[in-house]
Amino acid sequence: MVRCGGAVLRKYGNFIDDLRLYVRGGTGGMGYPRLGGEGGRGGDVWFVAQERTTLKTIRDRYPQKRFLAGAGANSSVKALKGEKGKDCEVHVPVGISVLCDDGRQIGELNAAGERLLAARGGLGGSLATNFLPCKGQRRIVRLDLKLIADVGLVGFPNAGKSSLLSKISHAKPEIANYVFTTVQPELGKVMYADYKQISVADLPGLIEGAHANKGMGHKFLKHVERTKQLLLVVDISGFQLSIKTRFRTAFETILLLTKELELYKEELLTKPALLAINKMDLPCAKDNLSELMKQLENPQDFLHLLQEEVIPANTLEFKDIIPISTYTGEGIEELKACIRKSIDEEAEQENEEYRKKKLLLLQTSEEGQVNRS
């Protein structure tokens, strides 16, 4: 049973990644003191992960966001044991974290079909409760969505991430020659000749200070957490957000992006990473690339020339560095091949680790059987 009350949500564009709602388990049924009958337990509220469901769907379908499970049946002469109340199932997107209103995490739903108990129903009246029913659990919870993708595009505004996504996938993000074209995450699928598909998320451009939530930084950075790999996209000619901000060379841009990731969550730097150097069709791009490659080969030789605020404590190790042009198409096929190779290598490594664990468990089990005999 679903009823409606109040809800609070945060959104940018039409994309919602945070939704606050009220859940309540059903009240238990009355006991039957004369015959020792026990009332039915109240129904539970469950969140069930489902593909093609969005937080916007939930908001539109249930505008006031109150989810109440059914009450348990009272005990009676005909049925001393009352029936359990009807459960309330709420379909939510895959990739959801469920949080209490105070920020504590209740659990996560990372695969279709996974279930999470949001509010437990109350016990039915019995001898232990003097045959009086208990109320169901009630609380306000927050659904926090983090996109799940194989690869996350990371870069400053206007680096060409949206153009790149449109080149390597069938996605149609908004593209223009001004800053902050992308205001909501876009997902695309890279299709290969053998029908392999790799999902790529175009995340809205970061700015300096994103780790401290500048420019809605936390909204954007949190989506990087659940991508398997990072693909940094950098403009070879450098970047300047506005006339009031400093111009950053491509080398400084890479360091700044690394620092923003590091300051938000240091573990992000342990993800496999690729680097796409975009806009190679521009004048002087070849000279700039030659200089950048020298800087990346021996970054320590150049750090003393930079401001301390730009330098991260740790640097990203790029598996491949690919010069590209989303305008001419240069390097796009090579980049797609590198993405595929990197994803396949990581999958093989995970499989190998899984096989080793299974073998170790098997050996441990056999040794235990030998010792017992």
Side-chain angles (χ1 to χ4, degrees):
M1 177 178 171
V2 179
R3 293 183 186 163
C4 299
V8 176
L9 55 90
R10 297 202 312 268
K11 65 176 183 176
Y12 39 91
N14 290 319
F15 182 83
I16 300 170
D17 64 356
D18 193 292
L19 190 63
R20 189 167 171 262
L21 47 87
Y22 175 83
V23 291
R24 191 180 80 194
T27 302
M30 288 288 293
Y32 200 112
R34 191 157 58 88
L35 298 176
E38 189 174 314
R41 221 185 96 197
D44 305 316
V45 179
W46 292 88
F47 292 140
V48 183
Q50 188 178 63
E51 299 283 2
R52 298 181 181 175
T53 297
T54 66
L55 293 182
K56 185 175 183 296
T57 305
I58 300 172
R59 182 200 66 178
D60 293 346
R61 189 170 296 169
Y62 310 110
Q64 297 183 332
K65 304 303 171 293
R66 281 171 67 92
F67 296 93
L68 313 181
N74 295 334
S75 174
S76 66
V77 174
K78 290 182 179 179
L80 289 178
K81 173 67 176 174
E83 285 189 11
K84 183 177 183 292
K86 187 176 180 181
D87 289 345
C88 172
E89 289 193 353
V90 185
H91 291 134
V92 298
V94 175
I96 281 287
S97 292
V98 183
L99 309 170
C100 292
D101 210 27
D102 60 6
R104 286 184 298 109
Q105 183 166 299
I106 300 168
E108 294 185 341
L109 296 167
N110 294 322
E114 287 187 354
R115 297 165 62 86
L116 180 71
L117 183 62
R120 189 180 297 278
L123 294 174
S126 65
L127 184 63
T129 63
N130 202 24
F131 297 99
L132 296 173
C134 299
K135 290 184 178 179
Q137 184 181 17
R138 63 183 70 195
R139 57 183 169 183
I140 292 172
V141 296
R142 202 174 86 236
L143 303 184
D144 190 35
L145 175 65
K146 295 174 185 174
L147 292 179
I148 296 177
D150 295 311
V151 179
L153 301 184
V154 179
F156 285 132
N158 225 27
K161 300 188 303 303
S162 297
S163 299
L164 177 58
L165 184 66
S166 70
K167 285 286 184 183
I168 63 176
S169 76
H170 297 297
K172 303 250 181 268
E174 186 178 349
I175 299 167
N177 62 351
Y178 53 83
V179 179
F180 290 120
T181 310
T182 305
V183 293
Q184 65 187 47
E186 293 274 357
L187 273 175
K189 293 271 188 186
V190 185
M191 308 286 290
Y192 292 89
D194 61 354
Y195 303 105
K196 168 82 172 178
Q197 296 183 25
I198 292 176
S199 57
V200 179
D202 172 21
L203 308 175
L206 300 177
I207 64 170
E208 292 181 47
H211 70 276
N213 212 20
K214 208 170 179 182
M216 300 204 305
H218 286 183
K219 268 187 161 308
F220 302 161
L221 281 167
K222 75 173 186 178
H223 293 295
V224 182
E225 291 183 51
R226 286 191 182 168
T227 57
K228 294 178 184 175
Q229 304 200 7
L230 305 178
L231 173 55
L232 269 66
V233 184
V234 173
D235 185 336
I236 187 60
S237 60
F239 171 70
Q240 186 174 20
L241 184 64
S242 70
I243 56 172
K244 296 180 181 178
T245 59
R246 288 177 61 91
F247 172 79
R248 301 295 188 184
T249 65
F251 181 56
E252 287 177 299
T253 300
I254 294 165
L255 294 177
L256 270 169
L257 286 170
T258 304
K259 182 146 191 173
E260 290 300 332
L261 293 171
E262 177 184 70
L263 290 173
Y264 175 71
K265 192 164 280 190
E266 204 169 329
E267 304 88 81
L268 293 178
L269 300 190
T270 63
K271 289 179 182 286
L274 302 172
L275 175 61
I277 310 294
N278 194 20
K279 305 191 182 179
M280 288 302 298
D281 54 285
L282 295 177
C284 302
K286 294 284 191 289
D287 293 338
N288 290 340
L289 178 64
S290 176
E291 179 65 22
L292 176 60
M293 294 306 288
K294 288 179 192 173
Q295 293 169 325
L296 290 174
E297 282 170 17
N298 299 291
Q300 301 303 325
D301 296 346
F302 299 90
L303 294 182
H304 69 280
L305 301 172
L306 305 175
Q307 295 174 301
E308 192 175 332
E309 71 209 35
V310 176
I311 304 169
N314 301 289
T315 54
L316 272 170
E317 295 291 330
F318 297 109
K319 297 180 78 171
D320 285 295
I321 299 174
I322 309 99
I324 65 167
S325 167
T326 54
Y327 181 72
T328 65
E330 174 191 344
I332 297 298
E333 290 304 314
E334 183 188 351
L335 175 60
K336 287 170 68 174
C338 286
I339 291 171
R340 172 69 183 269
K341 177 169 166 277
S342 181
I343 290 289
D344 286 349
E345 284 174 353
E346 289 302 311
E348 181 55 37
Q349 188 176 331
E350 286 176 9
N351 289 338
E352 184 61 30
E353 288 173 0
Y354 176 75
R355 284 194 291 268
K356 284 179 181 177
K357 283 180 184 176
K358 292 288 284 185
L359 183 60
L360 184 61
L361 283 170
L362 185 62
Q363 289 171 344
T364 307
S365 175
E366 287 175 351
E367 287 170 5
Q369 288 176 357
V370 169
N371 292 336
R372 282 194 295 273
S373 60

